[in-house]
Amino acid sequence: MEEKAMNRESNVYTILFSAIMVVIFALGLSLIHQTLRPKQIQNENVDTMRQILRSLNIEASAAEAEAKYAELIKNAYLIAPDGSKVVGTEGTQYYDRAFSAISRRDAAGLPVFEANVNGNTIFILPMRGAGMWAPIWGYLAVNADGNTIFGATFDHTSETPGLGDAIATQAFGERYIGKRLFQNGAFTSVSVVKPGASSLRGEDYVDGVSGGTITSRSVGVMMYQSIGAYENFLMNLQR
Amino acid sequence: MAILSGKTKAALLGPLNKDNPVIVQVLGICSALAVTAKLEPAIVMAIAVTVVVALANVIISLLRKLIPTRVRMIVQLMVAATLVAIVSELLKAYAFDVNRQLSVFVGLIVSNCILMGRMEAFALGNGPWPSFLDGIGNGLGYGWILVVLGFVRELFGSGTLLGYQIIPQIFYDAGYQNNGFMSLAPMAILLTGVIIWIHRARNKDLQETE
Amino acid sequence: MEAINLIIRSIFIENMIFAYFLGMCAVLAVSKDFKASIGLGLATLFVMVITVSINYIVVTYVLKEGALSWLGEEFASVNLSVFSLHIFVAVTASFVQVVEMIVEKYAPRLYNQLGIFLPLMAVNCAVVAGSLFMEQREFANIGIAAAYAFGSGVGWMLAIAVMASIREKLQYSHVPKPLKGLGITFIITALVGIGFMSFSGISI
């Protein structure tokens, strides 16, 4: 016993013990990570599908999201800066290029999703921008006229609870329905203003979330920049 | 129950009341008050902490005769970090929405003082079974406070429980309004203060005299 | 400019203690004494800025998905974020240890003032939270990350100093018996927190 106690404090034992611990923990954690990874990725994909559906004003549960997505989303592809479809990028599945271009920038172009709701074609454009703290993102559904908004949804990782996080509510997204992105043929986007105020340059506007000034402004900036990149695509639709 | 002798029973039940980690020992308040605005994340957090503390206690207790004293703290931190990382992975795979609500607070379980405190104070000197019960007891003692907070804050803040509407529409028609104040962060800590008040009014021996 | 915004926001609007209640254990333990609380606040500020900066480098160049691409194309898809918690804890704990040894050896007077607080840092929720928020918020560069850590640290120090000065005065007031000590401290923290919420209206 005496010997063992002394042994336990020796340098060799300490280093050996630490090394074995580290190896066991690292292996165990990596194993669990590898086993659970497919399930986690699937969760993320289903979550993205639910958000795309939400921009069409459809609230789907996680279980029914995939079927609903397959039913409504007819096509997806990348578009070049001039608004034309990039050849060979079509496909709506999560392993296709349009879907993966939502989270990771694709050098070939910007993703567009085409949905068919009650016989009308709706175009869904992903948005991404900086919030008050961390990235915010969203999806904007535009009617076939390339101008009026069919629906919108926004999400965030860490806007202020009780204030800025209200941008993720359905009520905020619904404020965008029917607003126009273009005025007199020029892209103006839809701005976010303090409740009660009106827009500066005559463009369409929605009320911001109360108490979330910075977050609201970020949503306006994100839409101006992200949808601005689709300007040529939307102009082509209007012709 | 023969399986729960006097000492092990105390290890399990003490933390629920007179030895409560949060309101008596003042441990582990940090990491989770911010997730109690709704009942569901509060329950998930309570379960996560209970599981992590219990398993960490068992592992440290099993290794207690092997761990070199000099690296004791580091080993404890590594055990804690590994368990928390596993819990976080499981949540991402099986409770995706709740995991998003918990955000960084899952990771913060690692710096929860209860975890380190129990490993250091109990598991290093006791066998695996009492250590397990001690972990469960402390986790639950912490958990019931979270659940009470989540219950009160969601009921009065949003009128719902676990997302289901509880307060009937008639009330709203009659002029009742949700108390949005309850959803704000400071209410979590104010309500904890009130729980301490009630608890100490009933247990006079815990009152501070300074 | 962005860095200054971030500092002001993390001191007043998203204060570690009054908005997230992180690092409360330490506040409750030492905040009866104003001087000690300033000491602990300074130690936290220092440790926070350094560890968040170190962790930022580790996350950006080792852990994040694609972070290892500087090693070669075949490493571009490696994602080690599952180990980030281990790294944060290990960096914090070992940095605290090193600082403690250096301060003890070369500045014994400072050690006597700060030394007792340093070991507490390793498990201070606020320090670990600084690194976790840094990872989640994907700051653009190390300067911004350090500015965030600085702001959070100053905010934490401010908060603990405010709490300490209120509690010093509290000794002369008649608090109901069951609320004495812990209970009233919680309620005061909440009330100051509500006060701090009024900062969330400022636009910068």
Side-chain angles (χ1 to χ4, degrees):
Chain A
M1 201 63 204
E2 192 81 336
E3 236 177 50
K4 204 182 168 194
M6 259 180 51
N7 214 357
R8 195 165 83 160
E9 299 309 324
S10 78
N11 284 338
V12 181
Y13 180 83
T14 306
I15 292 168
L16 260 178
F17 181 87
S18 313
I20 293 172
M21 286 287 285
V22 166
V23 169
I24 290 176
F25 282 156
L27 279 181
L29 190 54
S30 310
L31 195 72
I32 288 171
H33 179 69
Q34 289 301 332
T35 336
L36 294 177
R37 192 70 200 139
K39 180 100 181 122
Q40 292 173 359
I41 291 175
Q42 202 215 344
N43 280 336
E44 281 164 25
N45 291 334
V46 168
D47 195 54
T48 306
M49 290 177 189
R50 289 178 71 187
Q51 287 180 32
I52 291 177
L53 290 172
R54 221 171 277 150
S55 75
L56 297 170
N57 309 314
I58 294 165
E59 188 62 51
S61 74
E64 61 195 29
E66 266 180 294
K68 201 82 188 158
Y69 175 87
E71 179 196 328
L72 289 173
I73 307 297
K74 296 296 176 203
N75 200 359
Y77 42 83
L78 299 176
I79 56 144
D82 66 352
S84 62
K85 202 185 283 187
V86 178
V87 182
T89 56
E90 292 189 7
T92 58
Q93 293 302 310
Y94 60 85
Y95 44 77
D96 284 321
R97 281 177 75 177
F99 201 94
S100 41
I102 296 175
S103 50
R104 209 183 306 167
R105 191 171 289 279
D106 193 320
L110 299 162
V112 173
F113 293 80
E114 243 178 78
N116 191 319
V117 183
N118 302 328
N120 301 318
T121 305
I122 312 282
F123 297 91
I124 300 160
L125 316 174
M127 301 175 278
R128 209 173 164 75
M132 172 162 165
W133 289 111
I136 53 175
W137 63 94
Y139 297 87
L140 190 71
V142 185
N143 284 318
D145 66 359
N147 191 2
T148 46
I149 293 174
F150 181 79
T153 183
F154 301 92
D155 212 346
H156 64 99
T157 46
S158 52
E159 296 307 301
T160 318
L163 301 170
D165 69 345
I167 61 162
T169 57
Q170 206 187 347
F172 181 71
E174 279 172 358
R175 293 180 195 171
Y176 279 89
I177 296 175
K179 305 285 178 193
R180 285 160 304 166
L181 291 165
F182 288 78
Q183 302 289 344
N184 305 322
F187 176 73
T188 54
S189 183
V190 176
S191 53
V192 185
V193 300
K194 271 215 160 84
S198 60
S199 65
L200 290 173
R201 290 166 284 117
E203 73 271 26
D204 278 0
Y205 59 89
V206 296
D207 286 347
V209 293
S210 59
T213 316
I214 299 174
T215 309
S216 301
R217 198 187 304 151
S218 313
V219 170
V221 171
M222 169 175 81
M223 184 172 288
Y224 187 79
Q225 291 174 345
S226 298
I227 303 302
Y230 288 96
E231 189 178 347
N232 287 327
F233 173 75
L234 294 169
M235 296 281 263
N236 292 347
L237 288 177
Q238 289 173 21
R239 276 192 208 113
Chain B
M1 281 225 297
I3 210 161
L4 289 178
S5 63
K7 194 185 160 202
T8 45
K9 201 175 163 191
L12 179 64
L13 297 180
L16 293 181
N17 187 15
K18 295 226 170 164
D19 246 345
N20 189 286
V22 177
I23 60 178
V24 180
Q25 300 177 46
V26 210
L27 292 174
I29 330 141
C30 326
S31 66
L33 286 184
V35 301
T36 55
K38 291 272 156 65
L39 186 55
E40 193 186 8
I43 292 175
V44 174
M45 192 69 173
I47 296 171
V49 170
T50 309
V51 169
V52 169
V53 177
L55 289 182
N57 261 358
V58 170
I59 293 176
I60 291 295
S61 167
L62 286 172
L63 293 173
R64 70 185 188 280
K65 300 225 170 74
L66 298 170
I67 301 174
T69 333
R70 272 181 297 175
V71 293
R72 195 183 71 236
M73 291 288 269
I74 298 286
V75 172
Q76 287 169 0
L77 279 172
M78 281 301 130
V79 170
T82 308
L83 287 170
V84 172
I86 290 174
V87 166
S88 161
E89 290 290 306
L90 286 170
L91 283 178
K92 264 188 225 157
Y94 296 106
F96 188 75
D97 287 337
V98 181
N99 185 58
R100 278 198 49 200
Q101 293 178 47
L102 294 176
S103 81
V104 300
F105 293 97
V106 179
L108 280 177
I109 298 176
V110 85
S111 61
N112 189 321
C113 321
I114 297 176
L115 189 52
M116 290 300 288
R118 290 332 287 172
M119 286 194 278
E120 180 78 15
F122 196 91
L124 273 177
N126 288 283
W129 176 240
S131 299
F132 178 73
L133 291 178
D134 179 78
I136 295 274
N138 275 284
L140 291 179
Y142 173 78
W144 77 255
I145 304 236
L146 283 195
V147 171
V148 166
L149 289 176
F151 181 86
V152 173
R153 290 181 70 195
E154 184 170 353
L155 184 61
F156 293 106
S158 323
T160 57
L161 280 179
L162 292 173
Y164 297 103
Q165 191 68 36
I166 294 291
I167 296 182
Q169 190 58 39
I170 292 181
F171 277 51
Y172 293 101
D173 294 341
Y176 174 84
Q177 287 207 330
N178 284 331
N179 182 358
F181 209 53
M182 278 287 176
S183 314
L184 299 178
M187 286 313 284
I189 205 140
L190 200 138
L191 288 175
T192 317
V194 174
I195 293 178
I196 294 174
W197 190 358
I198 298 168
H199 189 246
R200 292 196 178 176
R202 297 178 54 134
N203 298 290
K204 294 213 159 48
D205 50 322
L206 292 173
Q207 292 174 5
E208 290 172 49
T209 47
E210 41 142 354
Chain C
M1 197 53 219
E2 198 199 333
I4 294 173
N5 274 351
L6 194 63
I7 291 176
I8 293 177
R9 279 194 330 235
S10 43
I11 294 177
F12 293 107
I13 305 176
E14 304 247 326
N15 187 290
M16 277 282 182
I17 288 188
F18 294 132
Y20 293 117
F21 310 109
L22 296 169
M24 279 294 292
C25 310
V27 170
L28 295 170
V30 301
S31 74
K32 275 176 203 160
D33 175 5
F34 183 74
K35 267 193 178 156
S37 69
I38 292 284
L40 182 62
L42 280 175
T44 308
L45 173 62
F46 179 63
V47 172
M48 188 116 110
V49 172
I50 305 287
T51 54
V52 168
S53 308
I54 296 177
N55 286 334
Y56 182 85
I57 297 173
V58 177
V59 166
T60 323
Y61 294 104
V62 183
L63 296 177
K64 219 164 55 175
E65 184 173 8
L68 280 173
S69 48
W70 54 271
L71 273 179
E73 270 307 301
E74 64 272 31
F75 291 99
S77 62
V78 177
N79 184 352
L80 292 175
S81 345
V82 66
F83 291 110
S84 51
L85 199 57
H86 291 78
I87 301 289
F88 294 165
V89 170
V91 165
T92 313
S94 41
F95 180 72
V96 167
Q97 200 87 61
V98 170
V99 170
E100 201 184 343
M101 288 191 297
I102 293 177
V103 173
E104 187 179 11
K105 179 114 196 211
Y106 295 105
R109 265 192 57 202
L110 185 67
Y111 181 77
N112 287 336
Q113 288 168 343
L114 277 189
I116 44 166
F117 301 124
L118 282 171
L120 281 175
M121 281 307 108
V123 285
N124 187 329
C125 317
V127 174
V128 182
S131 292
L132 283 167
F133 277 124
M134 174 274 295
E135 191 192 22
Q136 191 196 39
R137 288 173 181 168
E138 301 170 7
F139 291 120
N141 60 50
I142 188 170
I144 301 283
Y148 168 72
F150 179 78
S152 300
V154 171
W156 198 85
M157 186 167 87
L158 182 74
I160 192 172
V162 166
M163 288 308 297
S165 33
I166 295 178
R167 285 183 82 183
E168 275 188 2
K169 292 279 175 267
L170 209 61
Q171 289 170 354
Y172 308 107
S173 39
H174 295 285
V175 179
K177 258 194 179 154
L179 266 179
K180 253 191 188 152
L182 196 58
I184 195 72
T185 313
F186 272 67
I187 290 176
I188 288 172
T189 315
L191 293 177
V192 181
I194 292 168
F196 262 65
M197 285 191 68
S198 56
F199 286 117
S200 66
I202 58 176
S203 61
I204 353 165

